[in-house]
């Protein structure tokens, strides 16, 4: 992996300062969640905004843009093409969406966030509605500025997942929706556990921290490149991939699978960033290519590996050593505790069977809002009806319905589908890999990680998501593997 | 405190991005010492260098410089004048010292650091000598570029402490040297303890952490603006003064006064940054004015408050609650443990009586090196002779002699005198304040902090150090107070 083109070399030389600013922004974001004293927020926000403006200015620097255009006309290696592609993606946004709109969007979403928080506390959508309306209007303006072929929502999808279209998403859900609903019907009458007593049991936090550290060490990570901290919302960040990658975990007072699986989930993200080829460090392709591919890595480890029988057998001795109450439970018990299936109202608490129906609901509503085909004020009733139709449960109020997610208040529209895409790709990987169960059963994580690194991680953002998935699994997005995986597991 | 001049308003508006970059650099530095996984160092160094170059570029921006020149000719408030003064200080350096020299200095010192580490391990000055020679040569070049009135060393002093000259330093030591040596002679025959058994006793680290937190809380700090971490070398940093200020502590395995006093020392620095007027935040004057004034705050709390009888009585219940072995010792014992006086080889282990003689030694040698009046190869023997003359002890090897400090390898020449200056100012403050012993005895730290805030902290870098000290204590640097304080305490 190298960069033979002199034009690309010059681009990368000039890109260093942009990388440096992004590095600083990442660290500032991580620190805000993990360490920052509360009243540091004013200075931190000021600095983040100033640095974002500076990045935009440096990206739009005339000579830099000329170099990119020049490189775009040259014979390039795959990696070099990746560099140009990633830079052009950023440039497209900066050029087509005027700074005034970006500034207005920042202002509207910061107000919308406050309104959302109040609305959720009061379980009253009306408080949030006017802000959501403005968010949707602005998102539509941004979609129009960016352009699209078939549907304005596609422009927003592409912002979050390069190349993803409504057509892709429709194709995925046209398989998943009937398949999952059929499966849910079967599960509901099969006696598969809907609840487990461990969900209500508290655990010792320090013991759980140790257990998690030991379990992640069993999978394996480079100690001098990785760290684990605590924050209110778990996340992963490549501060300087692949040399400095960090995850955070949250410890609710009961139900130890929560911190366990959120840690394994984030660890999946981290392995991706840790696996990027060192030669790509500090370049525009030196990080995971997209949210969807990233989510495929986190879901692969969290669900497909983490909730498997083989993994339970492997880690149950560690868990038993740290959590005394587990003496009362067999590995079989733990397996069912990890895999309770229960249609529920809250997305973040959903199991792997029902999860994608929560995404489908959000996707449909977002697309209608952006097209102006549903009025924002009608969204709560639409939400509740769809919820009942898809999952057979109905929110008692807006807080456990339409107001549950923070994302719309942040202006993230076109983002949720990347979660389902991640689940879809994760299952494709499982079947393309072939040896997963055996490798997990024998604790041969090196083999699994090697497969992922060779086919996915090392490339960073060299290939666009669809091409990367095709190269790694032999085909593009194919939801039938996810269905097959779920049907095999929950039959 | 406000900024009526429209020119200054514009300067401050433009300065925000520079503040943002400095904020990012501070955080990156803090994180490197406290959190960063080891292998993150490559990316961190790259980012730090890129951001430093960017700051220089933005500072030298033609329009920005014009605005500063324009403001310089206007009627300004004290604070506005401070803004111009601080910016012009930076500009002077950037303009007079060409980027090539800055880059070469960075290269030389980074190599010198590696050589110093090896040399110290081998206790062999010869390994370090050629690098020190280059550091001294370059420091001399920088001094010549910056210009000076009487001695090239003055240019280097001014770099570290605005306005400080060899003349000031000579004046300080002409009082301190004979005074301290006289005092040391008396102490050595008076039976004042030279050793204490607690110096050899291990302590429980977690208990000590709690004790320190409680003791600092007794002095008082704003919880939402402050944090304490652990790092190999304790330091204080205003990430966004006065809203986000952080200290670090180190916990050696024995001798609990080490972490205790290093924490109180750093806390003194932190109180300065926390006391800066909020209106000065994010401006060039929104931080402590200089190393010397900063050191006056840390030494004031560490030595003058922290090692006093009144303070021992106040905190001994906290220490006893956390450290079980203290049951065997009276408050009187603890007081003498805190105040052991013993001429020793290592500066960082020196007590408050002998400390300034270590600085005098370094100051004299630095000044001779910069003037070319001593050859670098002759420095070790000069060191050993002076050490014996000043303190009556002679290093057995270079590691415990001339190689003990990291600073020269970093290129910090002209820096050590700010430590003695800090001690001098701290004693001036004690006597100017007048009520210190009573306030400490009654635990009225609010009164002490209020005095410091009103006269020193709130002004940030508004006034140059000498003027600030004159305003706060009624006179400029006067070493006789330090001598008086020491003579009273150790008689």
């Amino acid at each position: 992996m190298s960069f033979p083109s002199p034009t690309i070399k010059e681009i990368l030389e000039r890109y260093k300062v942009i990388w440096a600013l992004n590095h600083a922004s990442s660290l500032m974001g991580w620190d805000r969640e993990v360490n920052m004293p509360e009243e540091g927020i004013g200075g931190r926000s000021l600095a983040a905004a100033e640095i974002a403006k500076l990045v935009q200015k440096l990206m739009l620097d005339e000579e830099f843009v000329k170099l990119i255009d020049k490189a775009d006309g040259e014979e390039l290696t795959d990696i070099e093409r990746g560099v140009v592609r990633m830079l052009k993606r950023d440039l497209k946004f900066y050029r087509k969406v005027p700074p005034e709109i970006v500034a207005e969007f920042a202002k509207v979403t910061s107000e919308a966030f406050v309104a959302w928080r109040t609305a959720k506390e009061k379980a009253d959508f009306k408080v949030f509605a006017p802000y959501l309306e403005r968010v949707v209007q602005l998102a539509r303006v941004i979609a129009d500025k960016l352009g699209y072929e078939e549907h304005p929502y596609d422009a927003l999808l592409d912002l979050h997942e390069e190349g993803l279209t409504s057509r892709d998403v429709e194709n995925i859900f046209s398989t998943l929706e009937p398949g999952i609903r059929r499966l849910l019907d079967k599960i509901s009458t099969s006696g598969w556990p809907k609840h487990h007593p461990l969900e209500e049991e508290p655990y010792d936090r320090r013991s759980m921290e140790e257990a998690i550290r030991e379990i992640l060490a069993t999978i394996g990570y480079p100690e001098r490149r990785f760290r684990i901290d605590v924050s209110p919302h778990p996340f992963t960040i490549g501060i300087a991939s692949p040399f400095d990658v960090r995850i955070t975990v949250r410890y609710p007072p009961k139900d130890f699978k929560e911190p366990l699986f959120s840690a394994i989930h984030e660890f999946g993200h981290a392995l991706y960033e840790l696996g990027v080829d060192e030669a790509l460090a500090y370049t525009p392709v030196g990080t995971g290519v997209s949210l969807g591919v990233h989510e495929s890595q986190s879901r692969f480890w969290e669900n497909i590996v983490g909730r498997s029988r083989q993994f339970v057998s492997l880690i149950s001795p560690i868990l038993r050593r740290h959590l005394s109450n587990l003496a009362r439970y067999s590995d079989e018990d733990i397996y069912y505790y990890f895999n309770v299936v229960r249609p529920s109202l809250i997305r973040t608490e959903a199991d792997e069977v029902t999860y994608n129906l929560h995404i489908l609901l959000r996707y449909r509503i977002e697309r209608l809002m952006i097209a102006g085909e549903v009025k924002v004020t009608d969204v709560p009733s639409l939400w509740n009806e769809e919820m009942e139709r898809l999952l057979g449960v109905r929110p008692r109020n807006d807080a456990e319905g339409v107001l549950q997610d923070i994302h719309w208040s942040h202006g993230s529209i076109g983002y949720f589908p990347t979660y389902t895409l991640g689940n879809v790709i994760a299952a494709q990987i499982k079947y393309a890999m072939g040896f997963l169960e055996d490798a997990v059963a024998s604790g041969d994580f090196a083999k699994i990680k090697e497969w992922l690194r060779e086919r996915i991680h090392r490339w960073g953002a060299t290939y666009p998501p669809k091409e990367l998935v095709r190269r790694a699994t032999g085909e593009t997005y194919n939801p039938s593997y996810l269905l097959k995986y779920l049907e095999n597991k929950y039959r």
Side-chain angles (χ1 to χ4, degrees), chain A residues 59-125:
Chain A
M59 283 289 297
L60 290 173
D61 173 84
E62 218 173 297
E63 283 185 50
F64 190 61
V65 171
K66 266 189 203 154
L67 277 170
I68 296 168
D69 287 338
K70 186 179 167 210
D72 203 18
E74 292 179 1
E75 282 271 330
L76 299 174
T77 64
D78 283 7
I79 292 163
E80 291 175 329
R81 266 200 302 279
V83 169
V84 174
R85 194 188 92 257
M86 290 300 283
L87 290 173
K88 285 183 74 178
R89 252 179 83 74
D90 282 347
L91 277 183
K92 179 185 167 190
F93 186 87
Y94 289 136
R95 280 161 155 176
K96 296 205 168 183
V97 184
E100 309 84 70
I101 292 183
V102 175
E104 198 185 338
F105 198 64
K107 187 168 169 290
V108 167
T109 51
S110 106
E111 290 168 12
F113 167 67
V114 177
W116 167 78
R117 210 168 40 188
T118 312
K120 192 176 175 185
E121 272 166 28
K122 297 186 174 173
D124 183 2
F125 182 76

Side-chain angles (χ1 to χ4, degrees), chain A residues 1-2 22 72 75 104 109 161 167 187-188 216 224 264-265 332-333 357 359 369 377 381 392 396 421-422 478:
Chain A
M1 290 191 167
S2 69
N22 289 334
D72 203 18
E75 282 271 330
E104 198 185 338
T109 51
E161 182 74 17
R167 205 174 273 263
I187 292 175
S188 73
L216 300 190
R224 292 150 54 98
I264 300 175
H265 178 99
E332 190 76 1
D333 286 329
L357 298 179
I359 300 302
M369 286 196 300
T377 45
S381 55
R396 285 161 304 181
L421 181 63
N478 183 345

